[in-house]
């Protein structure tokens, strides 16, 4: 039986899981840290290999300039998130690759051979963030079978164990740096085969546990100021770092206790401060409300009431805070389940990886049995040597045992996608072709015409946004026709994610028809522009500074092949 793996690449902690021989998801423990989790922190010592995990996190207060955390918030986004350590430049993609390499390394040390993986991402990630996540996996030396939304993975892990009948399931996923809310329809047919269908997704990829951490730090600083007489604004970096070192533990303590005292030792003084859960909850009430606003909006969008939801799953490490369960329980009394918050996503990803692998194996089997030639890569996957005759039992031995009731899992786009076009010859708009809520994979084509004669090429800009209007598909872009930034509705989160350059033959007339095809999957977006008259076509190459070209991926993969990671200082 083949082995595939699921990885929850988290903002604060990451997890790797696989299926045992009975098809049950199991987490591969991080023996270095005596935990099922790997802290998503990387420490770069001046001499030696990068350190990933709790040991790296613990160096933050000693060497703040040599520890990198929370890169998931920046992966696939343009910005100055660059790091240089000992002559090697890193960014969110390559930092994420180091975290993935560490997961692989400690799993391999326990007898695994991690290669084929499914990696999860927040449901509200756009195309660039998903593509960047896949690129991190490739650079880490992994074969990324798919990118799966975190709430979908969590729902899979729960549904295959708990349900034998139809349910409406909501997943409230509050991680270290991101928040998703997703509604699923879980259905079972007469033969016991189940399907999981995404009905609606919402959320914020810049809201998570680290925002509660920031409030806890403010709270502790205020209490220290009250007891010591030192003004908060005059606290130096050393004192701040001493307080910051207590933040995560204080947040965990107040999830269990009503109050707790802490001693802050600084400059020869010992100051005792007392914190209460009530005060912390008062200081973070607005953050909780932000998440609940998304819940209410989602219910409104699908025209459902709280009573229409059967189960609400709480996943993500930040849902351990009682304030979260209490807020969700108030809206959905008796329906809330705290579902393995730190582990559910990785376990569901392992299930998804197995389903992906089995579908791929069955596709190869059908090809061979129908007389179709299979590729060298496919031959290698099934262990077919040159000149060896195909035997279907080879593939049967590679099929992974998974719960039989899972027959299909569908996901939905969380961004609308379309090209920039001229309307009436002068007004520049986005014409959305595929929309928020379309089932993945999604595909659409539309025909446009060149606006002028004798154009040497046509440049098709590719945009994503959150508009759900299928009647009026036109949206004002964030760039004008000349490529200059311009104001657009911030609620629609409009972003230019690439462009296609299609060369035109000399003396091309005005009005030459151009077909633009959008094809989106969970892993990325392909856009093709075709000259209908000549048949010549060009496919998109995403040119965002946040993503790597194929050449850059190969260079980084070669470089990182020689960079090992450690779990210890």
């Amino acid at each position: 039986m083949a082995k595939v793996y699921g990885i929850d690449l988290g903002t604060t902690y990451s997890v790797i899981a696989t299926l045992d021989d009975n098809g049950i998801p199991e987490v591969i423990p991080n023996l270095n840290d005596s935990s099922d989790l790997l802290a998503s922190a990387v420490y770069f010592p001046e001499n030696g290999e990068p350190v990933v995990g709790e040991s790296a996190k613990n160096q933050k207060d000693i060497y703040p300039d040599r520890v990198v955390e929370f890169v998931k918030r920046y992966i696939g986004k343009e910005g100055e998130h660059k790091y240089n350590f000992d002559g090697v430049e890193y960014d969110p993609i390559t930092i994420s690759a180091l975290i993935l390499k560490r997961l692989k390394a400690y799993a391999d040390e326990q007898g695994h051979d991690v290669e084929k993986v499914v990696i999860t991402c927040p449901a509200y990630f756009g195309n660039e963030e998903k593509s960047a996540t896949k690129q991190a996996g490739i650079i880490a030396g992994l074969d990324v079978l798919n990118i799966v939304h975190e709430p979908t993975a969590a729902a899979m892990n729960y549904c295959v164990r708990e349900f034998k009948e139809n349910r409406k399931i909501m997943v409230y996923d509050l991680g270290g740096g991101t928040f998703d809310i997703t509604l699923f329809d879980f259905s079972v047919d007469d033969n016991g085969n189940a399907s999981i269908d995404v009905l609606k997704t919402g959320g914020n990829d810049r809201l998570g546990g680290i925002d509660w951490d920031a409030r806890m730090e403010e709270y502790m600083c205020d209490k220290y100021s009250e007891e010591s007489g030192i003004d908060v604004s005059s606290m130096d970096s050393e004192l701040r770092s001493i307080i910051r070192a207590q933040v995560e533990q204080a947040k965990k303590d107040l999830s269990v206790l009503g109050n707790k005292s802490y001693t802050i030792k600084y400059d020869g003084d010992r100051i005792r401060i007392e914190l209460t859960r009530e005060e912390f909850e008062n200081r973070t009430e607005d953050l909780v409300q932000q998440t609940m606003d998304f819940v209410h909006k989602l219910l409104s969008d699908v025209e459902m009431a709280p009573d229409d939801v059967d189960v609400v799953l709480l996943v993500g490490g930040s849902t351990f805070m009682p304030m979260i369960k209490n807020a969700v329980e108030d809206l959905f009394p008796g329906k809330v389940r705290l579902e393995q918050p730190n582990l559910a996503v990785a376990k569901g990803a392992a299930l998804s990886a197995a389903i992906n692998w089995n579908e791929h194996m069955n596709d190869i089997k059908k090809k061979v049995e129908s007389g179709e030639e299979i590729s060298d890569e496919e031959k290698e996957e099934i262990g077919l040597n040159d000149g060896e005759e195909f035997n279907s039992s080879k593939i049967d031995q590679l099929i992974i045992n998974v719960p039989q009731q899972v027959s299909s899992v569908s996901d939905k786009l969380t961004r609308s996608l379309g090209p920039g076009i001229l309307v009436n010859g002068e007004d520049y708009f986005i014409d959305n072709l595929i929309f928020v809520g379309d089932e993945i994979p999604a595909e659409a084509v539309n025909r446009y015409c060149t606006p002028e004669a004798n154009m040497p090429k046509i440049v098709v800009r590719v945009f994503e946004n959150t508009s759900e209007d299928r009647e009026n598909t036109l949206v004002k872009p964030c760039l004008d026709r000349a490529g200059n930034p311009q104001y657009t509705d911030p609620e629609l989160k409009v972003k230019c994610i690439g462009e296609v350059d299609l060369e035109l033959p000399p003396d091309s007339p005005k009005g030459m028809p151009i077909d633009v095809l959008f094809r989106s999957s969970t892993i990325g977006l392909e856009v093709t522009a075709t000259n209908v008259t000549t048949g010549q076509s060009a496919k998109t190459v995403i040119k965002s500074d946040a993503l790597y070209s194929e050449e850059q991926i190969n260079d980084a993969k070669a470089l990182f092949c020689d960079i090992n990671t450690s779990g210890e200082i």
Side-chain angles (χ1 to χ4, degrees):
M1 185 178 74
K3 278 282 189 180
V4 293
Y5 299 82
I7 293 176
D8 174 7
L9 182 61
T11 307
T12 52
Y13 289 95
S14 296
V15 186
I16 183 169
T18 189
L19 303 188
D20 66 16
D21 292 341
N22 296 315
I24 306 301
E26 60 178 7
V27 168
I28 301 170
N30 173 11
L31 300 181
N32 275 119
D33 298 338
S34 301
S35 172
D36 287 330
L37 313 176
L38 174 72
S40 300
V42 185
Y43 165 55
F44 294 87
E46 291 189 11
N47 296 298
E49 57 199 12
V51 177
V52 184
E54 204 64 33
S55 294
K57 188 176 180 179
N58 292 339
Q59 298 300 306
K60 181 71 174 180
D61 294 318
I62 306 171
Y63 304 107
D65 295 333
R66 299 193 74 87
V67 177
V68 182
E69 296 182 280
F70 313 133
V71 294
K72 184 174 176 178
R73 279 200 162 181
Y74 311 114
I75 193 167
K77 296 178 173 67
E78 294 185 16
E80 295 303 314
H81 302 291
K82 305 286 186 183
Y83 317 90
N84 195 301
F85 298 105
D86 307 315
V88 179
E89 185 174 87
Y90 298 88
D91 58 22
I93 292 177
T94 47
I95 295 292
S96 298
L98 290 174
I99 296 168
L100 292 168
K101 277 178 71 75
R102 185 65 208 143
L103 289 166
K104 171 178 168 55
Y106 75 64
D108 289 351
E109 288 166 5
Q110 297 173 60
H112 294 271
D113 183 13
V114 179
E115 180 184 354
K116 298 183 183 299
V117 303
V118 161
I119 304 175
T120 62
C121 74
Y124 235 52
F125 263 18
N127 179 76
E128 287 180 293
E129 291 93 339
K130 291 178 183 177
S131 297
T133 301
K134 182 184 179 184
Q135 289 185 351
I138 294 170
I139 291 168
L142 302 172
D143 179 2
V144 183
L145 300 174
N146 205 356
I147 301 293
V148 173
H149 292 154
E150 290 162 0
T152 304
M156 285 183 66
N157 179 56
Y158 190 68
C159 292
V160 299
R161 293 184 289 105
E162 298 293 333
F163 295 126
K164 305 297 181 184
E165 55 188 14
N166 298 354
R167 288 284 190 273
K168 291 287 189 299
I169 302 166
M170 180 174 285
V171 174
Y172 176 110
D173 183 358
L174 184 63
T178 61
F179 171 69
D180 286 319
I181 185 75
T182 306
L183 183 65
F184 296 89
D185 182 30
F186 178 82
S187 58
V188 184
D189 64 21
D190 294 337
N191 297 318
N193 295 316
S195 61
I196 302 173
D197 184 44
V198 176
L199 298 179
K200 186 73 177 178
T201 288
N204 183 348
D205 60 9
R206 299 300 296 272
L207 175 66
I210 57 178
D211 298 294
W212 273 260
D213 289 349
R215 297 290 178 85
M216 176 61 82
E217 184 179 338
E218 290 175 7
Y219 180 23
M220 296 186 81
C221 286
D222 287 344
K223 295 297 289 184
Y224 185 89
S225 177
E226 289 176 14
E227 298 296 329
S228 67
I230 298 175
D231 189 78
V232 172
S233 62
S234 64
M235 290 182 178
D236 62 23
S237 59
E238 182 182 356
L239 176 56
R240 280 275 188 177
S241 68
I242 291 171
I243 292 174
R244 192 178 301 117
Q246 304 255 26
V247 163
E248 187 172 351
Q249 187 59 48
K251 191 174 71 170
K252 291 178 180 178
D253 290 341
L254 293 185
S255 292
V256 179
L257 306 171
N259 61 282
K260 182 72 185 288
S261 295
Y262 300 87
T263 300
I264 308 297
K265 301 175 184 178
Y266 171 69
D267 199 24
D269 293 329
R270 295 165 58 92
I271 303 295
R272 191 171 182 81
I273 63 174
E274 182 174 352
L275 309 181
T276 69
R277 180 194 295 177
E278 181 180 10
E279 175 65 15
F280 180 51
E281 290 182 348
N282 289 338
R283 287 171 173 253
T284 54
E285 185 178 6
D286 62 308
L287 298 177
V288 178
Q289 188 57 48
Q290 284 183 49
T291 71
M292 297 308 297
D293 288 345
F294 281 107
V295 175
H296 288 290
K297 182 179 186 306
L298 184 146
L299 290 172
S300 175
D301 288 345
V302 297
E303 299 181 344
M304 288 174 58
D307 287 346
D308 297 322
V309 178
D310 297 300
V311 178
V312 181
L313 306 179
L314 299 184
V315 299
S318 296
T319 58
F320 280 117
M321 294 184 292
M323 69 182 82
I324 300 299
K325 184 175 182 181
N326 292 341
V328 181
E329 184 75 37
D330 285 345
L331 187 60
F332 302 97
K335 299 179 178 182
V336 179
R337 306 286 183 272
L338 197 63
E339 170 49 25
Q340 297 182 303
N342 286 327
L343 309 179
V345 170
K347 288 185 173 184
L351 281 166
S352 179
I355 292 170
N356 270 252
W357 174 257
N358 289 350
E359 289 175 349
H360 180 53
M361 288 295 101
N362 286 322
D363 285 344
I364 294 176
K365 186 174 181 178
K366 289 175 184 177
K367 281 183 183 179
V368 175
E369 291 177 344
S370 65
E372 186 179 343
E373 183 70 24
I374 63 174
S375 68
D376 291 339
E377 182 181 355
E378 289 170 330
K379 289 177 183 177
E380 183 179 341
E381 286 176 333
I382 64 173
L384 191 65
N385 300 318
D386 288 342
E388 184 181 356
E389 187 174 340
F390 172 78
N391 186 327
S392 61
S393 64
K394 271 188 170 291
I395 290 183
D396 293 337
Q397 293 169 10
L398 294 172
I399 294 294
I400 299 171
N401 181 23
V402 295
Q404 291 300 307
Q405 69 265 33
V406 181
S407 58
S408 67
V409 180
S410 77
D411 226 329
K412 299 289 195 300
L413 285 172
T414 56
R415 296 287 192 277
S416 295
L417 299 157
I421 65 167
L422 280 177
V423 179
N424 300 323
E426 56 181 82
D427 297 321
Y428 191 60
F429 286 99
I430 304 165
D431 182 25
N432 282 331
L433 297 183
I434 49 182
F435 295 85
V436 171
D438 284 351
E439 188 169 319
I440 302 170
E443 183 176 312
V445 64
N446 205 359
R447 181 165 294 179
Y448 306 98
C449 296
T450 54
E452 302 168 7
N454 302 316
M455 295 181 68
K457 67 177 181 178
I458 191 80
V459 178
V460 181
R461 292 199 189 96
V462 180
F463 292 91
E464 69 175 21
N465 57 91
T466 59
S467 172
E468 300 181 43
D469 192 340
R470 295 171 184 265
E471 296 291 329
N472 177 20
T473 63
L474 300 181
V475 174
K476 186 176 180 182
C478 53
L479 304 176
D480 62 20
R481 185 185 179 189
N484 301 311
Q486 65 179 6
Y487 176 83
T488 189
D489 186 350
E491 291 294 318
L492 296 181
K493 298 182 180 178
V494 179
K495 182 192 287 186
C496 181
I497 60 174
E499 61 184 39
V500 183
D501 291 358
L502 177 62
E503 293 185 4
L504 300 176
D507 303 321
S508 295
K510 177 182 178 180
M512 176 175 282
I514 306 293
D515 280 353
V516 178
L517 170 69
F518 274 56
R519 184 180 289 118
S520 182
S521 70
T522 53
I523 293 180
L525 173 69
E526 178 182 290
V527 180
T528 305
T530 303
N531 186 329
V532 177
T533 304
T534 66
Q536 182 182 4
S537 64
K539 288 186 180 180
T540 187
V541 176
I542 299 297
K543 297 182 178 179
S544 165
D545 290 340
L547 292 177
Y548 284 18
S549 67
E550 186 173 349
E551 182 180 359
Q552 288 174 318
I553 289 174
N554 291 333
D555 289 345
K557 187 176 179 180
L559 174 64
F560 276 71
C561 183
D562 296 327
I563 296 178
N564 296 314
T565 59
S566 172
E568 300 175 341
I569 302 297

